[in-house]
Amino acid sequence: MKTDRLYALTLYLLNHGKTPASELAKYFEVSVRTIQRDIDALCQAGIPVYAVTGINGGYGITDNFRMDNQLVSKEDFAYIVTALYGLKTVTGNWMDSSIFEKIKAVSGNSNTGLVLDFSVLREGDSLLLQSLQSAVLNQKVVKFSYTNNKGSAKVHFVEPVAVIYKWYVWYMLAYDKVKGDYSTYKLVRMDNVNVTGENFSKKHIPAEEILLRCENNYKNSSTYTKVRLHCYNNAIYRIKEYLNGKIIKTFEDGSAIVETDIVEDGQWWAGVVLSQGKDAKILEPEHIKNKIIGYAEDILFLYGKL
């Protein structure tokens, strides 16, 4: 177990750079003292680990160190092939296909028993995905018109950092020089996309770090409300699946009380609830129930039924 952790610790430091002992301890679910002992063991094994003291201190591995490629087994390569196949189905990019074929040749006949086919994710977006991916790799500014959720359209000039599939939607993560901050843009809201010849104004931190910061800010600024619903039939499982609901009580007729947390300002939760028809009824809180009633009345009015 310790040997596996030492190997994983080495890979983590190579991939993430200088990292505080407290963060390493949290990631590997051990004590700071255990991390310190592991670092000592790596040093004794000849791994060039360095330590930086102070408020911005931590452990790192010198830049000139490289892992022996023999440490990657055929089984490891098989998982890499599986992941690359999934990437290939998403982007349709010839480069991704080429890398897939190269790694597949190295992996031999090993397999993981898994197939990741995400081709449905690029339906209608294949060319746009490739264009934005190219802009990220070549560090070129992208110009586009964006329509926000209030129906207002505006032209943006941004520096794309990554293209992301999250929450069942494609997004572009980009730096807006005007705002001086990072934002995400839904691809379906982007029109007249043009990759310009203008270079990035600065070097950007990894997309994973930006997303983590954005998510923390979103969580801190969002108000979550606990909602209870009385659900019947398949609505029970749909509320569980789409809204991360939890069954807190079941009844003899097969129905159940399901509890979930929602962000009131969002609209996703309302669409999920309304789509269940008479099989999902909000019990509490009262103001959330009234919101659903309001949405339902607007729909009835639209069709002349109210």
Side-chain angles (χ1 to χ4, degrees), residues 19-39:
T19 308
S22 57
E23 188 175 320
L24 292 171
K26 182 178 180 181
Y27 181 82
F28 289 101
E29 299 181 343
V30 296
S31 67
V32 171
R33 181 57 187 151
T34 297
I35 290 296
Q36 292 170 340
R37 286 196 292 263
D38 287 348
I39 293 296

Side-chain angles (χ1 to χ4, degrees), residues 6-298:
L6 290 176
Y7 178 52
L9 177 57
T10 303
L11 293 177
Y12 188 93
L13 291 176
L14 284 171
N15 291 330
H16 296 269
K18 178 170 62 67
T19 308
S22 57
E23 188 175 320
L24 292 171
K26 182 178 180 181
Y27 181 82
F28 289 101
E29 299 181 343
V30 296
S31 67
V32 171
R33 181 57 187 151
T34 297
I35 290 296
Q36 292 170 340
R37 286 196 292 263
D38 287 348
I39 293 296
D40 290 339
L42 290 179
C43 291
Q44 293 173 12
I47 306 296
V49 179
Y50 66 86
V52 177
T53 59
I55 190 170
N56 294 318
Y59 295 109
I61 295 178
T62 57
D63 293 338
N64 60 353
F65 178 76
R66 295 291 182 270
M67 294 286 286
D68 186 344
N69 60 10
Q70 295 302 315
L71 292 175
V72 181
S73 67
K74 284 189 175 182
E75 288 72 21
D76 295 332
F77 273 120
Y79 276 96
I80 294 172
V81 167
T82 300
L84 284 173
Y85 179 82
L87 177 64
K88 179 173 75 80
T89 62
V90 172
T91 64
N93 191 313
W94 70 268
M95 186 177 293
D96 296 332
S97 299
S98 176
I99 295 172
F100 167 75
E101 295 298 336
K102 291 175 183 176
I103 300 299
K104 184 179 180 182
V106 176
S107 69
N109 295 322
S110 299
N111 70 81
T112 62
L114 298 172
V115 175
L116 304 178
D117 189 341
F118 302 125
S119 54
V120 67
L121 304 185
R122 64 184 176 94
E123 289 182 359
D125 286 324
S126 180
L127 294 178
L128 180 56
L129 284 172
Q130 291 183 33
S131 180
L132 293 178
Q133 185 183 14
S134 174
V136 172
L137 295 176
N138 295 311
Q139 299 186 8
K140 297 297 182 182
V141 171
V142 171
K143 175 187 176 183
F144 61 97
S145 175
Y146 191 76
T147 304
N148 63 23
N149 57 8
K150 296 180 180 179
S152 176
K154 180 182 177 181
V155 175
H156 294 261
F157 288 83
V158 301
E159 300 175 7
V161 179
V163 184
I164 305 157
Y165 183 77
K166 197 168 187 178
W167 303 304
Y168 309 103
V169 179
W170 279 108
Y171 293 86
M172 176 182 66
L173 174 65
Y175 177 73
D176 187 327
K177 288 194 295 182
V178 176
K179 295 193 299 183
D181 201 359
Y182 297 92
S183 300
T184 53
Y185 304 87
K186 284 185 177 180
L187 265 60
V188 295
R189 295 180 181 271
M190 295 170 59
D191 292 306
N192 303 317
V193 180
N194 177 38
V195 179
T196 72
E198 182 182 346
N199 295 323
F200 284 7
S201 62
K202 67 174 186 176
K203 183 177 180 180
H204 299 287
I205 60 177
E208 294 82 2
E209 295 182 26
I210 301 170
L211 286 173
L212 180 61
R213 189 185 72 183
C214 291
E215 287 178 1
N216 289 337
N217 291 340
Y218 178 75
K219 289 177 182 178
N220 293 334
S221 62
S222 299
T223 301
Y224 288 86
T225 302
K226 194 171 293 296
V227 176
R228 286 194 175 188
L229 306 94
H230 191 179
C231 300
Y232 297 83
N233 306 318
N234 290 332
I236 298 172
Y237 308 103
R238 288 171 182 153
I239 297 298
K240 281 184 62 181
E241 178 180 358
Y242 299 133
L243 298 182
N244 197 28
K246 295 177 182 171
I247 297 175
I248 60 174
K249 185 177 181 180
T250 57
F251 300 97
E252 291 184 359
D253 63 357
S255 65
I257 302 296
V258 182
E259 190 174 83
T260 184
D261 293 309
I262 66 166
V263 178
E264 292 191 28
D265 293 339
Q267 296 180 328
W268 165 253
W269 65 269
V272 172
V273 173
L274 287 169
S275 68
Q276 308 312 310
K278 61 183 178 58
D279 286 339
K281 177 182 179 181
I282 292 179
L283 301 177
E284 56 183 53
E286 193 69 21
H287 74 282
I288 295 297
K289 184 194 301 184
N290 289 334
K291 273 194 174 185
I292 288 294
I293 292 173
Y295 288 139
E297 289 176 341
D298 288 343

